[in-house]
Amino acid sequence: MPLVKNKVGDDCTLGKDEALADGEALVESLIKVVACYRHLASCVGGCTDSLQLRDELRQTREKAQKLSVSICQHLTLHLRDKSLPEEQRKEMELLWVAFSSSLELFHVDMCKVFRMSAIFSLDGESKLVQNGFQGGGSEVAARALSLPDLNQAESQVPAAGLEIQEQGIMEQEICRIDRMIEDMEKKVNVLRWMVEPHGPQYPDPVSSPDSASLALLSVDEEQPGNQSPCTRRQVLVLFLLFAVVLLATALSASIVFFS
Amino acid sequence: MTIRNTVRDHGQRYRPRMACLKKAERMLLEMQDPKTGVRSQPQRLVITTIPHAITGEDIVSWIAETFQIDASEAKNIGTMLVALGYIYPVQDHKRLVIKSDASLYRFQTPYFWPTQQWPVEDTDYAIYLAKRNIRKKGILELHEQEQYNRLHKWMNHKWDFIVMQAKEQYRAAKERKKPDRVVFDCQERAYWVVHRPPPGTVSAMDCGLDRRIDPNAEEPRTPDFYERIMIFTQQSIMRPRVKSSVSIAALVKYCATYNSHDPFLSKCLPSNPWLTDDVTYWNLTKPNVEIPTKMRVERWTFSFGELLSDPRGRDDFRLFLKKEFSGENLAFWEVCEDLKWGTAATMSEKAEQIYKTFLARGAPRWINIDGKTMEITVSGLRHPHRYVLDAAQTHIYMLMKKDSYGRYLKSPVFKDTLKKAIFPEEHKFTDAQLEHNSKNRRPSLSPVVLRQQEQEQRAKMAANAPVDITQLCRFTTPVPHLAVYSGITDPPSANTSPTLPFLTHSPACPSPISVALDSTSASERRVEPSEGGEGNLQAPASVCANVTKSRMPLSLRRLLKRGCSPANMFASLSPKYHSAAGSSSRIQPICPDQAGQAPPRRIGNFFQIKVDIPPECRIYPIESEDEEEENRTAFRGGGVGAKEIICPWESLTSQHEMDQ
């Protein structure tokens, strides 16, 4: 992903707008990666936990970190720029808030993954929770890494010994994110209560609601007892209708036959 | 290691430790074992099957077998696991209980476990609700809707982020396979049912107030840390010990007594407001309600402390004491409490007020405490602090407890209250009524308003404070606005005839010997010299005569050795004696012209008896001009018509000036 260093010294509004657009794109992709990381994290410790999943987690984490470092630099630079016009500044502050919130979410998820991988090590000794998952998070990881092809994510299955190394690295990375958050607060003073969001209160429902999973969920919710009377009733009604229709045809047939 | 607040506000935001969580986790891991764990089966849905579903009865029987307990106990443990969120019901997802039948449950994924270290964030909840809204608009329940609006207000700055994140999470979920998506949705939903329960449900995650210190953080082993441990162990060693038979007996007695009064252990009549949202109970047990409930009145009989701590009980007791003319005891006790718990700024004024009203000789509401205590108290009042009146207060408390309390319980006042007390009927609400109640919940009066009311009431009571009749006399001019007891029409003048020159410090009586023994620091045994015109009695006159000589200490001791008899004799002269017949210790026949007012004037030998200088010279207040006149008007005259008691410590400065 392109770094935006070339926008540093640019004073013209066009450059600033580009900077804003770049920032937005970066922040959006960070949000996407953080969302995917969360989905992957929910599989850890479960029965589908595997070295592959851990590797995917690692890759996603690295991507998120790269993104966050670049966003941090980009936004810090622009927000410390005194000559930024007011609306731009507001937009930047919005991005800043979004960035810091996603960083916090990412931090929480990293801590959880760190602790869980310590408890549920994949050496075959610790039991994994049977949580009902069947597939791993490969598709989600592919989405996170923006890879068009799933196979690219699966190409390297890491060796088992890398797990311990990963733990150590993880700890460091968590500390790094910690420090980044602190530094951010020190360098740029964004007044959170002054920031006004643009968007609606409710996210728009997706155009094609996911009817299948909705149906599954609602089926899930229903008590087993309730199902049978409903269906039975329906069946009874159908049967009655059928019987009526049959009677009608028999009558008409007899009329035709006798007339 | 979560959201960092760079502002160190020392706020309380750490969840207290819940030890059950670790144990539940271990149990859950045991359940996963394919051989010895809980049997799992696939759940067949319309389109697909989802594995790892377990039945309630399997869980309960596994727990019962593993821990060798009976089925009901196992069911309780199972319910606890569900309530904590380690297992979630697949079907009836809102009721977090385990049913020992074929209803299906599933294990929660470790990401959603309620571990101690992972606090539940509102941001996540907002994202979850937004996601649900994406899936289908209007699917949020009422309480969720309210929460959503509230979060929108409070986290407004993040709202764009929340909406974006919700969309991204939704899209990421779509990447997964269908059964996995369903399972993830169920898991998330179960997580939020546990951590943001719908109103009216009991949540297992209720763990009380947040702590200031992170219970997960390791405490650094500083010298301070070890210092604290040392102090704690030292105090534990020094703690007084009681035999276990005694302490257990006390506990048993306490439990037996309070069993029927405890709202957890027995029914709270008419109904527990926290459960049924009906505030009748609170209205009936208001501090100043007219007619108390029977349970409340019963509690007053348990102990004197109970009676005093209940404001209604205290009112009743005050009424009783009023009838017995010993209201000053309770008033003094109350005023001591006020001093103890009041603001530091007003403490010295209060102390002065207390001295003038209760402790000084000739005070309108003089209390009867023994000489030693009085001495300690008055000397402490020079530099008043919060606990200066503790000794006196304890004395009065024990007095009331041993004496008045017993009589109160047999008195008509109490019997009347008991008869009038109400016994409310138990409410029986239907479910619909309960819901109606919960919708109509109203907040109670603001504490600011309540405090104002309390203060007004206190001011009213202080304004109407009765002056105890026995203390009334010509020289204790009652302040006009003070209410005098109705029905008691003894004119003040009647009291003046037995002008008792004798000091009314018959607290000397209880401990004459002790006082006589330490005469150097004796409380003022100043016999009022020469109430010439007032001493109608020979005996007192002789006493006075004795006293006018300079042989004061001797005469005093002689007087004291005679014990209480002079006091009793004088007391019998009081028109109120008959009412006080049984309780000589309480009623103080007041000597209007007490020498007591003189001693405050002397600095050096505050409580000592002057031997060198005749007393007359020493007892006049500065304001009074008539040195010749016996100190009849010495003190009370005071320049102003109203009686004036000057506190000892005040006189210090004035005496200094006088001397210099």
Side-chain angles (χ1 to χ4, degrees):
Chain A
M1 104 231 66
L3 291 177
V4 285
K5 285 231 163 82
N6 52 343
K7 294 284 182 282
V8 166
D10 209 332
D11 267 335
C12 77
T13 7
L14 188 60
K16 289 277 164 46
D17 276 338
E18 280 183 29
L20 198 61
D22 276 333
E24 278 176 8
L26 283 172
V27 169
E28 273 177 33
S29 54
L30 177 67
I31 290 178
K32 183 181 75 165
V33 173
V34 167
C36 296
Y37 193 77
R38 180 163 276 211
H39 270 282
L40 289 173
S42 69
C43 300
V44 175
C47 47
T48 51
D49 198 1
S50 61
L51 289 168
Q52 192 183 345
L53 180 73
R54 302 288 171 97
D55 193 49
E56 282 159 3
L57 273 169
R58 182 184 56 81
Q59 288 177 349
T60 318
R61 176 179 57 74
E62 282 167 4
K63 167 134 187 195
Q65 267 168 318
K66 268 193 298 203
L67 271 174
S68 50
V69 165
S70 62
I71 297 178
C72 189
Q73 286 170 348
H74 178 83
L75 284 180
T76 317
L77 209 59
H78 285 270
L79 279 172
R80 282 166 85 97
D81 179 12
K82 301 272 194 260
S83 66
L84 202 60
E86 211 30 60
E87 328 80 58
Q88 293 248 343
R89 179 160 282 272
K90 280 202 168 33
E91 296 297 317
M92 282 285 179
E93 284 186 353
L94 258 180
L95 285 180
W96 181 263
V97 168
F99 171 54
S100 64
S101 318
S102 41
L103 211 60
E104 282 165 357
L105 272 188
F106 183 52
H107 187 264
V108 169
D109 281 343
M110 276 212 296
C111 294
K112 283 193 184 177
V113 168
F114 178 63
R115 285 211 58 104
M116 285 196 291
S117 27
I119 300 170
F120 297 99
S121 60
L122 292 170
D123 49 9
E125 279 180 22
S126 45
K127 308 182 184 93
L128 298 173
V129 178
Q130 297 167 355
N131 52 11
F133 283 142
Q134 288 163 321
S138 315
E139 302 90 1
V140 180
R143 180 184 166 84
L145 304 170
S146 311
L147 294 169
D149 197 353
L150 272 175
N151 291 330
Q152 284 192 14
E154 291 178 31
S155 52
Q156 312 144 358
V157 178
L162 282 178
E163 206 182 312
I164 302 165
Q165 205 183 35
E166 170 68 9
Q167 288 286 86
I169 296 174
M170 188 81 154
E171 218 171 328
Q172 289 172 6
E173 297 302 329
I174 293 177
C175 291
R176 237 179 84 186
I177 297 277
D178 254 347
R179 278 198 301 269
M180 199 194 303
I181 297 177
E182 268 192 60
D183 285 338
M184 272 169 56
E185 291 300 319
K186 282 190 204 143
K187 284 195 191 142
V188 178
N189 185 20
V190 169
L191 303 173
R192 298 252 179 341
W193 54 91
M194 300 288 285
V195 174
E196 281 181 33
H198 297 313
Q201 183 177 350
Y202 293 95
D204 306 316
V206 177
S207 48
S208 60
D210 197 0
S211 48
S213 80
L214 255 185
L216 272 176
L217 258 187
S218 54
V219 159
D220 228 5
E221 283 176 35
E222 268 175 56
Q223 300 245 6
N226 285 345
Q227 274 214 2
S228 18
C230 294
T231 48
R232 219 187 290 142
R233 206 178 298 137
Q234 281 172 4
V235 165
L236 200 64
V237 162
L238 273 169
F239 188 69
L240 271 172
L241 262 171
F242 189 65
V244 164
V245 163
L246 205 63
L247 198 64
T249 46
L251 272 173
S252 53
S254 63
I255 287 171
V256 164
F257 191 62
F258 281 122
S259 61
Chain B
M1 277 210 292
T2 55
I3 301 217
R4 191 70 69 82
N5 245 343
T6 46
V7 176
R8 286 168 181 264
D9 59 6
H10 303 288
Q12 282 162 278
R13 68 181 94 86
Y14 297 106
R15 203 176 80 194
R17 212 192 312 263
M18 286 177 78
C20 52
L21 297 179
K22 267 207 159 49
K23 298 180 189 174
E25 277 166 24
R26 271 210 292 274
M27 197 192 320
L28 211 74
L29 289 177
E30 285 300 310
M31 283 191 196
Q32 306 304 322
D33 195 313
K35 290 192 253 3
T36 60
V38 183
R39 186 176 62 93
S40 75
Q41 64 204 35
Q43 178 198 11
R44 277 187 178 67
L45 289 180
V46 177
I47 305 172
T48 175
T49 59
I50 302 178
H52 308 140
I54 42 183
T55 56
E57 54 192 357
D58 279 341
I59 299 175
V60 173
S61 56
W62 183 88
I63 296 176
E65 273 174 42
T66 319
F67 296 112
Q68 300 289 313
I69 49 179
D70 62 340
S72 61
E73 187 69 36
K75 191 160 174 213
N76 282 342
I77 293 183
T79 309
M80 193 195 70
L81 283 179
V82 177
L84 286 174
Y86 288 101
I87 299 177
Y88 62 93
V90 170
Q91 277 130 358
D92 192 7
H93 69 273
K94 285 198 203 138
R95 282 190 62 221
L96 299 176
V97 286
I98 214 163
K99 291 183 243 183
S100 312
D101 53 13
S103 41
L104 295 175
Y105 296 83
R106 203 171 273 127
F107 294 115
Q108 181 66 280
T109 186
Y111 182 79
F112 286 130
W113 276 3
T115 318
Q116 182 66 42
Q117 282 93 343
W118 303 333
V120 178
E121 300 288 347
D122 274 333
T123 320
D124 291 336
Y125 190 47
I127 295 173
Y128 163 69
L129 290 177
K131 261 199 294 191
R132 287 219 7 224
N133 214 59
I134 293 176
R135 196 191 309 136
K136 180 175 163 188
K137 192 147 189 158
I139 204 176
L140 292 180
E141 297 194 18
L142 188 62
H143 74 275
E144 287 171 341
Q145 192 71 50
E146 285 170 10
Q147 291 270 38
Y148 192 72
N149 295 337
R150 183 186 70 93
L151 289 171
H152 177 71
K153 189 169 118 180
W154 287 106
M155 295 202 292
N156 198 274
H157 59 279
K158 283 194 202 177
W159 211 254
D160 275 352
F161 162 73
I162 285 172
V163 166
M164 275 199 289
Q165 176 72 223
K167 283 202 193 132
E168 284 301 329
Q169 284 191 9
Y170 184 74
R171 287 187 201 130
K174 277 179 101 170
E175 298 286 332
R176 296 174 92 156
K177 298 196 184 61
K178 204 149 282 179
D180 284 350
R181 211 185 317 167
V182 172
V183 169
F184 181 74
D185 284 338
C186 286
Q187 286 170 350
E188 208 181 7
R189 184 179 62 181
Y191 177 72
W192 288 112
V193 167
V194 168
H195 291 280
R196 293 282 187 270
T201 51
V202 179
S203 167
M205 299 307 289
D206 269 341
C207 49
L209 294 175
D210 286 340
R211 298 179 61 174
R212 202 176 61 81
I213 306 168
D214 186 4
N216 302 315
E218 275 293 314
E219 200 173 350
R221 301 285 199 255
T222 56
D224 215 28
F225 172 74
Y226 291 112
E227 178 88 30
R228 283 205 320 264
I229 295 182
M230 287 202 299
I231 294 175
F232 176 73
T233 32
Q234 278 170 354
Q235 286 179 339
S236 314
I237 295 169
M238 288 195 304
R239 216 178 289 158
R241 286 163 185 69
V242 177
K243 262 205 305 194
S244 59
S245 56
V246 173
S247 58
I248 291 174
L251 284 170
V252 168
K253 182 164 173 239
Y254 180 89
C255 291
T257 328
Y258 284 91
N259 187 24
S260 48
H261 293 264
D262 190 298
F264 283 116
L265 298 177
S266 52
K267 280 214 206 346
C268 172
L269 298 168
S271 63
N272 193 331
W274 295 110
L275 295 177
T276 58
D277 294 316
D278 177 271
V279 293
T280 318
Y281 176 72
W282 288 335
N283 289 337
L284 289 177
T285 50
K286 277 211 176 96
N288 296 312
V289 74
E290 265 298 311
I291 303 176
T293 61
K294 271 221 171 21
M295 299 297 279
R296 200 171 175 183
V297 177
E298 199 187 314
R299 277 185 87 145
W300 301 345
T301 63
F302 290 161
S303 79
F304 185 54
E306 279 282 347
L307 177 67
L308 277 192
S309 57
D310 188 357
R312 182 67 183 77
R314 217 191 279 186
D315 283 343
D316 228 37
F317 191 57
R318 198 177 296 127
L319 190 66
F320 167 73
L321 288 180
K322 199 161 112 168
K323 299 218 164 100
E324 291 219 335
F325 311 110
S326 45
E328 72 271 11
N329 288 338
L330 185 60
F332 178 71
W333 185 87
E334 284 185 331
V335 106
C336 286
E337 287 286 294
D338 187 34
L339 184 70
K340 263 204 303 205
W341 300 105
T343 54
T346 53
M347 237 172 2
S348 42
E349 294 158 19
K350 276 191 198 155
E352 219 178 282
Q353 230 14 66
I354 295 173
Y355 180 81
K356 286 189 187 164
T357 322
F358 293 99
L359 295 172
R361 300 257 190 95
R365 308 188 79 184
W366 191 73
I367 52 163
N368 181 12
I369 49 180
D370 66 298
K372 195 89 176 278
T373 319
M374 181 64 100
E375 176 194 328
I376 298 168
T377 310
V378 182
S379 60
L381 278 170
R382 267 197 243 191
H383 304 285
H385 57 91
R386 226 167 261 282
Y387 303 104
V388 64
L389 296 169
D390 233 16
Q393 189 186 6
T394 318
H395 188 263
I396 290 290
Y397 181 86
M398 298 310 284
L399 199 65
M400 287 197 288
K401 178 171 160 176
K402 293 189 176 134
D403 199 24
S404 320
Y405 180 56
R407 272 178 292 113
Y408 165 73
L409 290 180
K410 302 192 193 99
S411 72
V413 174
F414 177 69
K415 294 209 167 82
D416 197 35
T417 313
L418 188 59
K419 208 165 17 144
K420 279 204 252 168
I422 50 179
F423 193 77
E425 283 281 318
E426 192 189 338
H427 281 150
K428 292 210 199 302
F429 287 124
T430 61
D431 278 339
Q433 278 173 318
L434 285 176
E435 262 209 58
H436 173 78
N437 285 349
S438 79
K439 289 216 172 67
N440 289 356
R441 270 196 291 226
R442 294 277 167 270
S444 54
L445 281 179
S446 133
V448 176
V449 172
L450 283 175
R451 210 176 316 142
Q452 277 173 355
Q453 283 179 354
E454 205 182 315
Q455 278 173 350
E456 281 166 22
Q457 207 170 33
R458 226 182 289 164
K460 215 186 341 175
M461 267 191 41
N464 293 343
V467 177
D468 303 290
I469 284 300
T470 51
Q471 313 286 328
L472 270 183
C473 65
R474 171 156 56 107
F475 301 100
T476 63
T477 36
V479 187
H481 69 270
L482 286 183
V484 180
Y485 294 113
S486 57
I488 297 157
T489 48
D490 277 274
S493 55
N495 274 356
T496 59
S497 46
T499 47
L500 312 158
F502 181 62
L503 67 145
T504 62
H505 222 48
S506 64
C509 287
S511 57
I513 299 169
S514 65
V515 171
L517 281 177
D518 56 354
S519 56
T520 44
S521 60
S523 351
E524 35 213 2
R525 296 293 159 249
R526 296 213 121 273
V527 178
E528 192 72 32
S530 63
E531 298 299 348
E534 290 143 15
N536 291 340
L537 298 150
Q538 272 317 304
S542 65
V543 166
C544 287
N546 277 345
V547 158
T548 43
K549 296 182 200 136
S550 301
R551 298 281 128 230
M552 235 200 344
L554 224 62
S555 59
L556 193 53
R557 276 199 215 117
R558 222 180 297 146
L559 195 61
L560 292 169
K561 280 180 191 146
R562 280 189 225 142
C564 292
S565 48
N568 275 348
M569 176 167 43
F570 302 150
S572 64
L573 299 167
S574 158
K576 289 288 151 274
Y577 185 60
H578 61 274
S579 63
S583 46
S584 58
S585 63
R586 268 185 311 109
I587 305 290
Q588 281 315 305
I590 200 176
C591 173
D593 24 39
Q594 299 154 11
Q597 282 127 35
R601 299 260 118 218
R602 297 163 307 134
I603 332 155
N605 10 37
F606 195 59
F607 288 117
Q608 283 175 7
I609 297 146
K610 266 286 165 235
V611 294
D612 40 357
I613 304 167
E616 303 95 275
C617 302
R618 296 301 223 118
I619 42 182
Y620 302 96
I622 303 171
E623 302 92 1
S624 130
E625 306 298 299
D626 28 19
E627 299 262 330
E628 278 69 36
E629 224 180 60
E630 303 301 359
N631 38 2
R632 137 159 354 176
T633 50
F635 211 77
R636 301 131 269 112
V640 194
K643 164 177 109 82
E644 187 169 337
I645 299 175
I646 301 184
C647 305
W649 51 96
E650 268 178 39
S651 68
L652 293 179
T653 43
S654 47
Q655 191 73 349
H656 264 300
E657 288 160 23
M658 205 169 72
D659 283 346
Q660 282 148 21

